[in-house]
Amino acid sequence: MTLAPAPPGADRRRPQLADFRARCEDVAGVRLDEPGALHDFSVQHPERFWRTCLDWAQLPWSGSADVVLTSGDVQSARFFPDVRLNYAEALLRPLPGAGDGAPAVTAVHADRPAERLTRGQLREQVALAAAALAGIGLTDRDRLVLIAPHGVPAMVVALAAAALGAAVSTAAPDMGALALLGRFEQVEPAVLVLDRTAMGEATVSALLDGLPTVRRLVVLDDLPLPEGDPTVDRLADLTAGAGPSPAWDRRPFDHPLFVMFSSGTTGPPKAMVHGAGGTLLEHVKEHRLHGDLGPADTLYFHTTTAWMMWNWQLSALAVGAHVITYDGPVDGPQTLWELAAGHGVTVFGTSPAYLQLCQDDGYHPAAHLDLSRLRAVLSTGAVLHDWQYDWVAEHVGPVPLQSISGGTDIIGCFVLGSPERPVRRGRCSAPSLGLDVAAVEEDGTEVVGAVGELVCRNPFPSRPVGFLRDPDGSRFHASYFAAHPGMWTHGDLVEFDADGSARLHGRSDGVLNVDGVRIGPSEIYTALRGVPGIADAMAVEQRHPARPGASRIVLLVVLREGVVLDAELARTIRRTLREQASPAHVPALVAAVPELPLTHNGKRSERAARDAVNGDPVANAAALRSPACLQAIRAAVTAGPAATADQDADPLLRAVTGLWSELLGTGEVGPDDDFGDLGGSSRQVLSLLRRVRLDLGADVPVQAFAADPTPRGLAHAITAGTAGDPAPLLRAGSGRPVFLLPDAWGQLNLYAGMVEQLATDRPVRGLRLRLTGPDGAHLPVEEVAAEAAARLREVQPDGPFSLAGYSFGGLVAHAAARALTAEGREVAWLGLLDVRPPRAALSAREVAAQRRAARLRTLLSRRALEAVRRRLRRGSTLAGRPPVGPVDPELAFFTGSEAVGDSYRPGRFDGPVTYFLAEGSQRHVRGTLGAWRRVTPRLRVVDVPGHHGDLDDERIGMLSARHVGVLAARVSATLA
Amino acid sequence: MLLVTATPVRPGPLDADVALWLVDLAADDDALTAAEARLTPVEVARAHRGTPAVHRRRVLLRAALRSALGSELGIPPGQVPIGTSPAGRPHLAVRGSLLDVSCSASGAVGVVAVGRGRRVGVDVELVAPWSSDVLDEGWLSPGERRALTGLPVTARPLAVTRCWTQKEAVLKATGTGLRADPATVVTPVGRATGAVAGWEIRDVQVPDGWVASLAVTPEEETPR
């Protein structure tokens, strides 16, 4: 029995990739089932791979496929020079599982009902249109420009032109005349096809004036026809009077199919010609092998006719998928999800920006809609952030979120999904089969696990055939092959992991190079995500206004409505970047702008912004959606230094700057200079803070200073410090905070090592609590806990809460957890770090057991206090003088806390409790842990190394550097 | 002049578990250029952000740190993989490495300590004239304050500077730096060696006018 290849997508459980692999294994004679093996085969044996791909896909072609590849040179190699095919024929032919009656396209509109065409109906319409276009003289030597919304007429015209062998170049009608001419003037089209409904009359006449090669204008709309030259016809009239459809000739593999445009970061957009065979083969490969797309699928990729995803989606007809188009507005987060649910979309393609819009609006698609048909979400156009994977998992459903990335330049993808690879948050799953894609250093050496320039090191079929208006190919060479000889350099930054998964890091021309350090702007954007008030941001490099040859970072921010960029927000931005990225990521200037420069494709143009901040002419202004934003950027950047001058007039900042100069013995201190950069030592920090206390009357903790060690940061800490943050952030993160309760000294310092090593993305906060009343007497644990609960709620209004405390702090944590649950709030995690049961909680037997413990030391006991005194005396004796005065007041404070702790009677808490029992406390606690078990039925005990860390105990404590790593790991493992 | 790059000092055979290097931070410009060539672009850029003196210090100290680790590992200094903790503590970015490193600088003197199977923290300070202001800076414990004021005035400059270097050495060894309260690290005022907060404190021989202390984990410790 001869096994016919399985029809595309016929068996969902077995991806088409598996079938294809089996075919390749036959060809290769080896197993290719190891992860990455098939990709290795595809790049090591390109001739066998692409030949197998062509055969397996059962595309209609004639001629000979004996010559697969003419050379190994990525710039000049040609694929299948003797193969002839027709793109339209390949897309519209009846397929197994997708015959003429199967749905081909459903065009959805905002203002009228959807239209649906079967594959047979679509082929008929394309045939009619082809006959009409042939009738007005369109030939396979011509190019056709099509400006229409994403809908059935645009597909029909494009396929009709392709059937005739004319190259097609498309754009959306809402683009301005200047942008349209910037693209199409180079195309020199013979026929112009317009849908004028969404175009201004002025745009239409500007197009006709600017495109003198147009012999015939064809309109898709019902608006009145203009008089004069060139001749204007309605497509409907032409098809009605057309003769029989001409034959759809098969033409060479590289015959022009599409003329596409790069977004043009330098000069006018590059007009690149994509061949029919390369486009078709690449798209079929991506759809079937990477997307597992087939006749069972309904694909909607949100795009316009101005973006390559339109062409990519069109090619899905070649694998039998049902394509949805939409030409209406996106009114809000629900629009596209409702479309997907309403039309049974199985594969939905969108952008990180749209997913973020949904997340920011708090929209939860799965809560409102039936998305049960959806099996994959694709995203492209920008870098997808980790948290967006979580959002899709939580609010869309258990479908893979596949980040795909490539470009117009290759009309396809370099990295994308794979049906056999798991999706890792924030990453594209696999390199495109047949493409030897890698990240390389400047010298061309490959890097794995680090960010490098994205290159493709071997020939691939969807490389453009060439550029228009580039007779000697020099622009083509300069665009892709000059940076790394023998490789296609794409202009993106990427990082590959050893498993082949990849993360894009933005355009490499968006990379900031500040004093030789390459900074990926995506790191800046990720950090800024945590700053409320910022809707969008763009970091660009500016020539330093004062230091020739040097450069600095300018950060442009788009603020949310009602938010103002004041000194406070600018500080928050700087501090966030310093903490979460690095000091090198801190911008020299932050400027608020109403809008960022976006190209018509919706891509961010760092290049335009960079030209604007440097005051240079913007080369690609015509490629921008709203060139007016450039003027606003120039104005904001010019105004920036003035705003800084205002802040310098701030007397507090002036005073602080003065103290710095004095202490460091340096004359020039700027408000944003780093203490360390000026030569300040840690010892001098303490001298500085003393002066601040004496001269300015503010007590600034070292930690607060270290968070932003600049005069501006110190001035801010002074302003904020007088009130004191009751819930200081000990470590930044996202999600619900983990709260730590202060020890018997009222301090949080002891947690520093643990905070540093906790394996969690969540923020960690400490609580500052009043342990004594107005009379100086210690407050009962319950009262301290009541304040703790109130502070917790201020930071986090609703549960579930996570909190922990060491020793005395653990008692407060327990009481606070009780207070929170009494209010009906959930406490998800209560961590007790070696919190010995208070004396008051012990039964008589337990007290006896405790007495028997060999090394019983409670700090309340006289012995402990005596031991401390003895140590103090010892030190003093060495210094040659007896101790002076009564008991140390700080020690008295500590023992006071311990006393109220020991009189605390823990009440019942039914939530989960994790007790971290120090190894050294085991004997001590044995026989008394029952006191905790009685009131916390869900107590779980986790052993940790080290001793309790009593004041009078020189043995190494559980929170000491030596043991804190294990403690932090165990706390992290149980954290909820 | 001490030397062009860095000199190992040998305080005694007991210290074979820690390699100590002295760095001449007053080295000439040729030495500076040579040192800069051993740094990564990020290190150079960080150095350049500082004033000229800070730049010189950062370049020479970092190059010495690379030399010290390079000589332990037998690889060129420029190839030593160095990572930095969020708090700024350098470490050898090699999984499972038993080497730990710490460095410090004050004026013309730099010190690099490499712990072999020991976690280390080192701090060097120029001895400054005594001022009672230090009692008020919040980093001394009450006992330390009493002990210091109990010393003859002539003994105080060295004692208080040593006290600081011991605290700083411990805080650098723990990795928290000044984010932890230095007053909670109680030192044996007037003594150059001893145990502080579970760490073994050693004296490091440095030129006259400076004092340096080394904090080391006790023998059985394995660094993270």
Side-chain angles (χ1 to χ4, degrees):
Chain A
M1 188 176 78
T2 311
L3 276 177
D11 183 354
R12 237 338 136 226
R13 285 162 303 174
R14 180 174 159 89
Q16 298 171 68
L17 181 63
D19 180 63
F20 178 73
R21 171 186 295 105
R23 184 74 81 90
C24 289
E25 285 175 342
D26 286 348
V27 172
V30 292
R31 299 290 299 269
L32 297 170
D33 48 4
E34 289 293 312
L38 184 59
H39 186 266
D40 290 347
F41 166 75
S42 75
V43 300
Q44 284 158 12
H45 305 283
E47 305 200 346
R48 290 197 222 167
F49 171 78
W50 289 109
R51 176 65 202 259
T52 307
C53 200
L54 183 74
D55 291 341
W56 174 80
Q58 293 197 303
L59 294 169
W61 58 272
S62 39
S64 161
D66 290 348
V67 180
V68 175
L69 196 53
T70 57
S71 84
D73 173 40
V74 62
Q75 183 178 348
S76 62
R78 290 178 59 209
F79 280 83
F80 298 115
D82 307 317
V83 164
R84 299 172 72 87
L85 46 72
N86 186 298
Y87 180 75
E89 178 194 4
L91 263 62
L92 298 172
R93 74 197 194 279
L95 289 170
D100 282 355
V105 55
T106 299
V108 183
H109 312 283
D111 52 359
R112 58 189 197 276
E115 322 135 47
R116 171 172 295 190
L117 267 65
T118 63
R119 293 178 66 86
Q121 289 167 328
L122 179 61
R123 193 171 62 242
E124 243 165 69
Q125 288 217 8
V126 170
L128 281 172
L133 292 173
I136 60 167
L138 188 72
T139 73
D140 63 2
R141 293 177 305 279
D142 289 327
R143 290 188 282 269
L144 175 146
V145 162
L146 167 65
I147 305 174
H150 186 17
V152 170
M155 288 173 77
V156 167
V157 171
L159 288 172
L164 298 176
V168 181
S169 195
T170 57
D174 55 357
M175 290 168 67
L178 207 61
L180 290 170
L181 282 174
R183 294 181 161 205
F184 296 136
E185 196 248 328
Q186 305 176 66
V187 176
E188 301 179 21
V191 174
L192 177 64
V193 182
L194 299 180
D195 181 335
R196 296 169 298 164
T197 328
M199 295 172 85
E201 255 179 62
T203 305
V204 175
S205 51
L207 278 174
L208 290 175
D209 288 348
L211 300 174
T213 56
V214 171
R215 302 194 300 262
R216 298 289 287 253
L217 171 63
V218 178
V219 297
L220 303 171
D221 52 72
D222 296 327
L223 298 175
L225 297 180
E227 298 284 318
D229 200 49
T231 314
V232 186
D233 298 283
R234 279 185 223 286
L235 183 66
D237 298 341
L238 291 175
T239 51
S245 182
W248 296 5
D249 292 336
R250 292 178 181 172
R251 297 182 177 80
F253 195 83
D254 281 348
H255 188 82
L257 173 66
F258 295 124
V259 179
M260 310 290 295
F261 300 90
S262 74
S263 45
T265 51
T266 50
K270 296 168 286 199
M272 50 196 113
V273 180
H274 282 288
T279 304
L280 180 65
L281 192 56
E282 177 64 21
H283 287 180
V284 167
K285 182 203 83 183
E286 290 184 13
H287 284 317
R288 290 188 61 178
L289 300 183
H290 291 278
D292 203 23
L293 205 67
D297 282 306
T298 301
L299 171 69
Y300 178 71
F301 206 108
H302 185 63
T303 180
T304 73
T305 49
W307 190 21
M308 65 149 279
M309 295 316 291
W310 181 81
N311 313 67
W312 187 86
Q313 174 174 251
L314 182 64
S315 296
L317 292 171
V319 306
H322 173 198
V323 171
I324 308 288
T325 72
Y326 176 62
D327 60 1
V330 177
D331 295 321
Q334 74 290 344
T335 307
L336 301 183
W337 297 107
E338 285 174 358
L339 186 154
H343 294 273
V345 167
T346 59
V347 177
F348 169 47
T350 181
S351 62
Y354 180 69
L355 293 174
Q356 197 60 52
L357 166 83
C358 297
Q359 184 172 358
D360 290 348
D361 271 21
Y363 180 70
H364 299 162
H368 305 285
L369 302 167
D370 172 16
L371 294 167
S372 55
R373 292 234 331 138
L374 192 67
R375 66 167 180 86
V377 176
L378 308 186
S379 170
T380 189
V383 178
L384 201 55
H385 296 287
D386 292 7
W387 61 78
Q388 300 187 287
Y389 288 75
D390 301 337
W391 183 84
V392 167
E394 191 172 347
H395 297 299
V396 176
V399 297
L401 172 57
Q402 295 177 343
S403 178
I404 66 175
S405 185
T408 307
D409 317 70
I410 66 159
I411 203 161
C413 299
F414 288 116
V415 286
L416 60 177
S418 168
E420 296 180 336
R421 296 276 183 94
V423 175
R424 287 173 61 191
R425 289 163 87 241
R427 305 188 70 84
C428 310
S429 299
S432 196
L433 284 168
L435 275 69
D436 186 12
V437 191
V440 297
E441 298 263 30
E442 272 164 39
D443 63 2
T445 53
E446 180 169 6
V447 289
V448 174
V451 177
E453 184 91 49
L454 191 159
V455 298
C456 182
R457 300 178 291 194
N458 67 347
F460 53 97
S462 69
R463 186 203 65 212
V465 174
F467 284 177
L468 295 179
R469 298 206 172 163
D470 183 28
D472 62 354
S474 57
R475 280 190 78 200
F476 186 51
H477 175 81
S479 297
Y480 307 112
F481 309 103
H484 297 290
M487 304 181 191
W488 169 285
T489 302
H490 195 63
D492 277 344
L493 291 177
V494 71
E495 172 251 311
F496 278 97
D497 208 343
D499 66 357
S501 71
R503 184 198 288 265
L504 272 293
H505 287 258
R507 292 293 292 173
S508 52
D509 58 8
V511 171
L512 312 171
N513 189 325
V514 177
D515 293 338
V517 183
R518 278 159 64 101
I519 293 169
S522 60
E523 294 149 19
I524 293 181
Y525 307 144
T526 305
L528 288 179
R529 156 112 184 121
V531 179
I534 297 184
D536 204 353
M538 183 179 280
V540 292
E541 198 182 315
Q542 186 194 35
R543 290 192 297 271
H544 201 289
R547 286 163 46 208
S551 53
R552 60 182 204 168
I553 303 178
V554 172
L555 181 71
L556 305 173
V557 291
V558 178
L559 301 171
R560 293 197 191 280
E561 218 168 288
V563 178
V564 181
L565 180 66
D566 53 10
E568 168 78 31
L569 181 56
R571 258 193 312 265
T572 306
I573 291 170
R574 287 195 167 92
R575 195 183 55 236
T576 304
L577 290 172
R578 191 188 297 277
E579 286 171 3
Q580 294 183 19
S582 88
H585 289 75
V586 178
L589 179 67
V590 183
V593 295
E595 202 182 342
L596 298 175
L598 298 181
T599 68
H600 289 287
N601 296 344
K603 295 217 175 199
R604 299 149 59 90
S605 178
E606 270 100 358
R607 174 60 183 254
R610 186 164 59 200
D611 287 344
V613 302
N614 279 319
D616 294 342
V618 177
N620 63 334
L624 298 181
R625 208 177 262 175
S626 54
C629 71
L630 297 173
Q631 195 45 48
I633 291 173
R634 286 193 190 97
V637 170
T638 320
T644 313
D646 287 346
Q647 287 158 14
D648 291 346
D650 172 356
L652 175 62
L653 184 54
R654 229 176 24 237
V656 168
T657 314
L659 283 180
W660 282 51
S661 308
E662 198 184 314
L663 193 82
L664 297 173
T666 163
E668 294 166 45
V669 176
D672 295 306
D673 284 349
D674 184 275
F675 194 72
D677 288 346
L678 294 174
S681 68
S682 46
R683 173 75 185 77
Q684 284 172 311
V685 169
L686 297 166
S687 304
L688 176 68
L689 296 183
R690 172 175 175 272
R691 288 295 303 274
V692 167
R693 193 166 67 242
L694 295 178
D695 296 10
L696 305 171
D699 208 349
V700 176
V702 177
Q703 295 90 331
F705 175 81
D708 187 1
T710 64
R712 209 190 288 284
L714 178 56
H716 177 58
I718 291 168
T719 322
T722 40
D725 186 349
L729 188 63
L730 305 178
R731 200 177 93 180
S734 59
R736 293 186 291 117
V738 179
F739 292 96
L740 298 176
L741 283 293
D743 65 6
W745 305 91
Q747 300 280 317
L748 296 163
N749 294 326
L750 76 161
Y751 297 120
M754 186 176 87
V755 168
E756 189 181 332
Q757 295 188 44
L758 280 182
T760 176
D761 292 336
R762 293 162 61 183
V764 184
R765 285 184 180 274
L767 290 183
R768 289 200 212 290
L769 302 171
R770 283 182 304 116
L771 302 189
T772 53
D775 57 352
H778 279 261
L779 298 169
V781 168
E782 290 87 347
E783 270 187 53
V784 177
E787 193 202 349
R791 297 274 176 248
L792 283 164
R793 286 193 309 266
E794 280 169 25
V795 177
Q796 186 192 334
D798 282 306
F801 292 95
S802 305
L803 60 160
Y806 162 76
S807 203
F808 173 80
L811 298 177
V812 179
H814 173 265
R818 266 173 53 80
L820 290 166
T821 41
E823 293 167 359
R825 289 165 212 271
E826 188 193 344
V827 174
W829 184 80
L830 172 62
L832 302 180
L833 309 184
D834 214 41
V835 184
R836 296 166 183 172
R839 176 85 51 100
L842 300 182
S843 67
R845 218 173 124 185
E846 285 160 349
V847 172
Q850 198 187 48
R851 281 209 192 97
R852 280 195 301 276
R855 288 185 60 87
L856 167 65
R857 290 161 187 259
T858 60
L859 278 165
L860 191 66
S861 74
R862 292 247 157 244
R863 267 180 63 196
L865 208 54
E866 277 308 314
V868 174
R869 284 190 185 139
R870 270 200 307 278
R871 283 177 64 208
L872 291 174
R873 211 173 290 139
R874 221 165 36 223
S876 304
T877 310
L878 256 169
R881 198 191 251 205
V884 191
V887 177
D888 186 288
E890 287 180 33
L891 194 59
F893 184 95
F894 178 86
T895 52
S897 300
E898 291 290 305
V900 298
D902 248 348
S903 57
Y904 173 56
R905 279 180 188 281
R908 189 174 171 91
F909 174 69
D910 289 323
V913 180
T914 316
Y915 188 101
F916 299 90
L917 174 61
E919 201 181 349
S921 296
Q922 281 173 3
R923 291 182 65 195
H924 182 173
V925 170
R926 183 175 299 146
T928 64
L929 215 51
W932 277 121
R933 292 198 190 280
R934 280 197 292 279
V935 292
T936 55
R938 293 174 65 192
L939 185 78
R940 173 181 168 203
V941 178
V942 174
D943 290 332
V944 291
H947 290 267
H948 183 77
D950 284 325
L951 198 60
D952 60 336
D953 186 350
E954 286 175 351
R955 292 170 306 168
I956 297 169
M958 60 193 289
L959 284 156
S960 72
R962 184 172 193 192
H963 297 305
V964 74
V966 177
L967 175 67
R970 300 206 171 141
V971 167
S972 311
T974 62
L975 197 55
Chain B
M1 193 170 109
L2 283 166
L3 35 66
V4 179
T5 54
T7 326
V9 293
R10 302 180 200 290
L14 277 177
D15 286 28
D17 53 352
V18 179
L20 282 162
W21 298 69
L22 277 191
V23 190
D24 174 19
L25 298 180
D28 61 24
D29 286 352
D30 288 347
L32 188 67
T33 310
E36 196 165 295
R38 294 206 291 273
L39 305 192
T40 66
V42 174
E43 290 170 338
V44 172
R46 182 178 132 73
H48 271 289
R49 282 205 309 276
T51 60
V54 171
H55 168 241
R56 166 177 292 274
R57 186 193 76 208
R58 285 181 180 164
V59 168
L60 292 170
L61 196 61
R62 191 65 166 199
L65 189 147
R66 289 190 161 277
S67 296
L69 284 173
S71 80
E72 293 286 332
L73 297 169
I75 60 174
Q79 290 177 14
V80 175
I82 297 178
T84 307
S85 78
R89 188 178 197 273
H91 60 86
L92 187 61
V94 175
R95 191 175 290 276
S97 164
L98 293 177
L99 295 180
D100 189 44
V101 69
S102 179
C103 60
S104 176
S106 180
V109 175
V111 180
V112 172
V114 178
R116 297 165 177 155
R118 303 290 189 97
R119 195 169 161 99
V120 290
V122 73
D123 192 60
V124 60
E125 289 287 329
L126 191 61
V127 178
W130 166 259
S131 156
S132 59
D133 286 356
V134 298
L135 298 175
D136 193 25
E137 285 174 356
W139 54 271
L140 291 163
S141 73
E144 287 171 327
R145 290 203 296 268
R146 277 193 297 275
L148 280 169
T149 48
L151 290 175
V153 173
T154 51
R156 287 181 201 167
L158 181 64
V160 74
T161 308
R162 174 163 281 145
C163 180
W164 171 264
T165 59
Q166 291 177 348
K167 284 171 190 269
E168 184 80 340
V170 167
L171 294 175
K172 284 163 90 167
T174 59
T176 57
L178 286 182
R179 286 178 303 151
D181 185 355
T184 60
V185 178
V186 182
T187 63
V189 174
R191 282 194 290 174
T193 60
V196 170
W199 296 83
E200 181 190 339
I201 299 293
R202 298 180 192 168
D203 188 36
V204 180
Q205 290 168 23
V206 283
D208 284 350
W210 278 269
V211 59
S213 300
L214 174 72
V216 191
T217 39
E219 187 114 38
E220 65 276 19
E221 173 72 30
T222 311
R224 286 181 270 154

